Amino acid sequence: GQQVMQIPQYQHVQEGEDFTTYCNSSTTLSNIQWYKQRPGGHPVFLIQLVKSGEVKKQKRLTFQFGEAKKNSSLHITATQTTDVGTYFCAGGTGTASKLTFGTGTRLQVTL
Amino acid sequence: DSGVTQTPKHLITATGQRVTLRCSPRSGDLSVYWYQQSLDQGLQFLIQYYNGEERAKGNILERFSAQQFPDLHSELNLSSLELGDSALYFCASSPGAYYNSPLHFGNGTRLTVT
């Protein structure tokens, strides 16, 4: 079945450093969504990408969908302590009417 | 507040027992999804209902079942519980049937099986 892996599993940065998480699918995706889950919280939708090569920005966050639509990345510029949490990508395919969530990247930010 | 309501927040029960988790979707959303998240693990898709009908099935055990009622709320039934079923169970909702709409998650039900 479809698998979606994320790397790294965990990253610890100092406030002000940049952070990137990568999402790789075993199959071509129709769309990819990104979610953030704060410690003790529930996943919250951040963004959706649907086009090959698409890049979207939300303030310090930059999301990219690969040309082959099998990978994606989330880059955070100048991290803040409010960025702490686990970031999940979730991919949808035409053959499976469901989103498959990635394994997640846990981000820890310290002062 | 996502608008998705899950009850109860916490459940503690013994092995072999049966429990029911309840979810009310956001107003206007027709799809309800159930996900299981074990400690420090990702989100495992269990099942999706759209407008009362089962739409997609994931890694849901035979001991688990779900349904969506005419008022669109959903229940997840877990029976013959095992220690390994201890997890956070999330419900999510979306307007349509397909995976191209954002999911709105509830706060989850934390199940502890002792």
Side-chain angles (χ1 to χ4, degrees):
Chain A
Q2 181 190 13
Q3 290 188 333
V4 180
M5 304 296 292
Q6 282 182 253
I7 54 171
Q9 273 191 302
Y10 171 77
Q11 186 147 14
H12 183 181
V13 300
Q14 289 202 313
E15 191 176 48
E17 293 182 336
D18 292 356
F19 160 77
T20 304
T21 173
Y22 300 91
C23 175
N24 296 291
S25 170
S26 58
T27 58
T28 303
L29 300 170
S30 300
N31 66 313
I32 193 144
Q33 298 178 359
W34 284 91
Y35 292 80
K36 176 183 178 182
Q37 184 176 20
R38 294 182 186 272
H42 59 273
V44 175
F45 173 79
L46 294 176
I47 209 159
Q48 174 168 267
L49 306 169
V50 296
K51 297 177 186 174
S52 169
E54 188 171 12
V55 178
K56 285 189 177 180
K57 293 190 176 186
Q58 284 181 351
K59 297 182 181 178
R60 296 178 294 104
L61 277 60
T62 302
F63 304 83
Q64 188 164 4
F65 203 4
E67 294 289 341
K69 300 184 78 173
K70 292 183 74 172
N71 56 70
S72 181
S73 64
L74 157 59
H75 179 82
I76 302 178
T77 303
T79 54
Q80 300 175 357
T81 54
T82 52
D83 296 323
V84 165
T86 301
Y87 292 85
F88 291 98
C89 63
T93 67
T95 56
S97 298
K98 61 182 175 72
L99 279 175
T100 299
F101 276 78
T103 46
T105 295
R106 187 157 68 96
L107 172 64
Q108 180 63 34
V109 181
T110 52
L111 295 170
Chain B
D1 181 16
S2 67
V4 178
T5 304
Q6 285 189 252
T7 56
K9 287 182 74 172
H10 300 278
L11 259 180
I12 302 174
T13 189
T15 53
Q17 294 299 305
R18 172 189 168 96
V19 297
T20 297
L21 282 53
R22 183 187 168 103
C23 169
S24 293
R26 282 192 327 160
S27 177
D29 284 356
L30 298 180
S31 269
V32 169
Y33 306 77
W34 287 98
Y35 284 87
Q36 180 193 56
Q37 186 174 45
S38 301
L39 194 62
D40 291 334
Q41 295 295 308
L43 291 150
Q44 297 298 316
F45 171 71
L46 297 178
I47 199 163
Q48 177 201 359
Y49 279 82
Y50 174 74
N51 204 22
E53 300 288 327
E54 183 182 301
R55 180 86 176 86
K57 217 166 185 175
N59 300 322
I60 188 166
L61 300 171
E62 284 191 14
R63 302 183 285 108
F64 295 2
S65 65
Q67 55 183 325
Q68 187 179 29
F69 295 87
D71 67 351
L72 301 177
H73 91 271
S74 177
E75 291 181 357
L76 179 67
N77 300 295
L78 315 176
S79 62
S80 302
L81 285 167
E82 302 175 359
L83 295 178
D85 298 326
S86 295
L88 196 49
Y89 290 84
F90 284 109
C91 163
S93 73
S94 70
Y98 297 99
Y99 46 79
N100 54 0
S101 297
L103 300 186
H104 298 271
F105 284 80
N107 290 330
T109 293
R110 182 167 296 282
L111 173 67
T112 304
V113 183
T114 60

